[in-house]
Amino acid sequence: MELDPGKPTFEMQTCKVLSVKKENYRVKTFEIDSKIKAKPGQYIMVWVPNVGERPMSLGGTNPIRLSIANIGKFSNAIHELKEGNVLSFRGPLGTSFKLPKPKAETTKHEINETQNSGLGTILLVGGGYGVVPLYFLAKEAKKIGIKSTVIIAARKADDIIYENNFKELGCEVLITTDDGSEGFKGNAVEGVKHLISQGKKFDEAYSCGPEMMMYYLALYCKEKNVPCQVSVERYMKCGINICGACAVDGKLCCSDGPIFTGNKALSFAEFGKVQRDASGKKIEGH
């Protein structure tokens, strides 16, 4: 079944795993024998029998592409899957990243003639496996001639994923590692400041990853008057506005989000300061 994002369906689909690729010591990429009409930043709810259901960002839609870190019982069950096994999901769900609109004077012919048609440059800032939906965004940006500069931020060199994927799209890539084991030594926001200090200019910034990274990125973008969009993560149980587990300052991340403008996210009292566990209890000092 091919799903239309304008008419969300919550019907569970079960499809075969087409391929499994090891990205690093804890991340595997799964391609699923299904396609959906989804947009970058949206997610699907993936179900594993007798284990549970979790939201997963999309790295692609034809076929469905998921890159999943093995960090617990649920993700470990998915990591056990092999080519030919089946996986169940529902979606797409949630809001999406919005690309800058092409300039009126740029024609479709110009976009087709050149890889990048001077429509501007966007900055993609991904922390860890937060780069996955940004890869999907970079592919969509390229289709309309928008250049992407990408910061892939990680704690250390062996946490880096998708570097070659972005480079194959023609993106400029800056690697940052906390320990300096590869690329620029420092965190993602320090990497952004480094690019800005070199005279780089961006029409808009997009980010997915640890919330503190996105919090400080949104603050910096506000200071520099650069529009920003972030993917806010909360504990999502239902994906359909029922349980309220993903609430943040009156908004539900499962449907009002997960994508918010940086300024909107900064208006949330909890953003960058509070998380909630599975019971809804606040976890301060996140």
Side-chain angles (χ1 to χ4, degrees):
M1 180 190 300
E2 186 171 316
L3 303 182
D4 184 338
K7 298 179 180 178
T9 176
F10 308 114
E11 181 180 349
M12 193 70 71
Q13 296 187 78
T14 300
C15 304
K16 286 187 177 181
V17 175
L18 290 175
S19 65
V20 181
K21 176 187 176 184
K22 183 177 180 180
E23 300 286 354
N24 64 14
Y25 68 99
R26 67 171 183 170
V27 179
K28 288 183 179 181
T29 293
F30 299 82
E31 289 194 334
I32 313 301
D33 189 18
S34 181
K35 61 181 180 179
I36 54 176
K37 291 181 179 178
K39 297 177 181 179
Q42 289 188 294
Y43 65 96
I44 59 176
M45 294 293 289
V46 177
W47 177 63
V48 177
N50 302 315
V51 180
E53 189 179 38
R54 297 288 186 277
M56 295 290 169
S57 295
L58 293 162
T61 59
N62 186 15
I64 291 174
R65 179 188 182 98
L66 306 170
S67 293
I68 299 172
N70 190 350
I71 57 174
K73 181 179 178 182
F74 180 84
S75 51
N76 182 66
I78 293 181
H79 270 235
E80 295 296 319
L81 297 176
K82 296 177 174 56
E83 183 179 328
N85 291 156
V86 296
L87 192 63
S88 299
F89 70 92
R90 55 189 173 92
L93 303 167
T95 56
S96 62
F97 290 116
K98 303 294 188 298
L99 285 167
K101 292 182 179 179
K103 296 175 183 177
E105 64 270 20
T106 305
T107 67
K108 185 175 181 180
H109 173 73
E110 288 174 318
I111 293 173
N112 290 336
E113 285 294 308
T114 61
Q115 178 178 336
N116 295 304
S117 305
L119 299 186
T121 301
I122 58 175
L123 177 63
L124 312 181
V125 183
Y129 41 89
V131 300
V132 178
L134 299 179
Y135 172 64
F136 183 11
L137 181 63
K139 288 191 292 184
E140 294 303 300
K142 182 178 178 180
K143 290 178 183 178
I144 59 171
I146 295 177
K147 300 178 184 178
S148 296
T149 295
V150 184
I151 291 180
I152 301 176
R155 292 181 179 177
K156 55 190 185 304
D158 57 1
D159 286 321
I160 296 164
I161 62 171
Y162 274 54
E163 179 180 4
N164 290 334
N165 300 66
F166 283 110
K167 287 181 175 178
E168 287 170 1
L169 288 178
C171 302
E172 178 183 352
V173 177
L174 173 66
I175 300 295
T176 74
T177 50
D178 292 346
D179 64 0
S181 54
E182 186 168 336
F184 178 88
K185 183 177 181 179
N187 61 41
V189 179
E190 289 171 333
V192 174
K193 293 179 179 179
H194 172 70
L195 292 178
I196 298 296
S197 72
Q198 292 184 323
K200 300 283 187 180
K201 296 184 184 299
F202 304 103
D203 297 289
E204 193 145 359
Y206 302 81
S207 187
C208 182
E211 188 160 303
M212 289 306 296
M213 176 196 80
M214 294 190 294
Y215 174 76
Y216 285 108
L217 175 67
L219 283 176
Y220 184 67
C221 286
K222 185 175 183 178
E223 175 189 331
K224 294 297 181 180
N225 199 31
V226 176
C228 175
Q229 297 174 38
V230 297
S231 180
V232 179
E233 182 179 350
R234 285 294 181 271
Y235 199 98
M236 297 182 190
K237 295 180 180 180
C238 69
I240 53 175
N241 312 336
I242 294 176
C243 71
C246 64
V248 52
D249 287 45
K251 297 291 185 181
L252 295 177
C253 283
C254 69
S255 56
D256 297 314
I259 310 304
F260 296 96
T261 66
N263 287 341
K264 184 64 178 178
L266 288 172
S267 75
F268 297 151
E270 293 187 1
F271 183 61
K273 300 178 181 67
V274 175
Q275 274 280 16
R276 294 178 184 270
D277 63 17
S279 70
K281 181 183 177 180
K282 287 186 177 181
I283 305 172
E284 303 285 348
H286 172 68

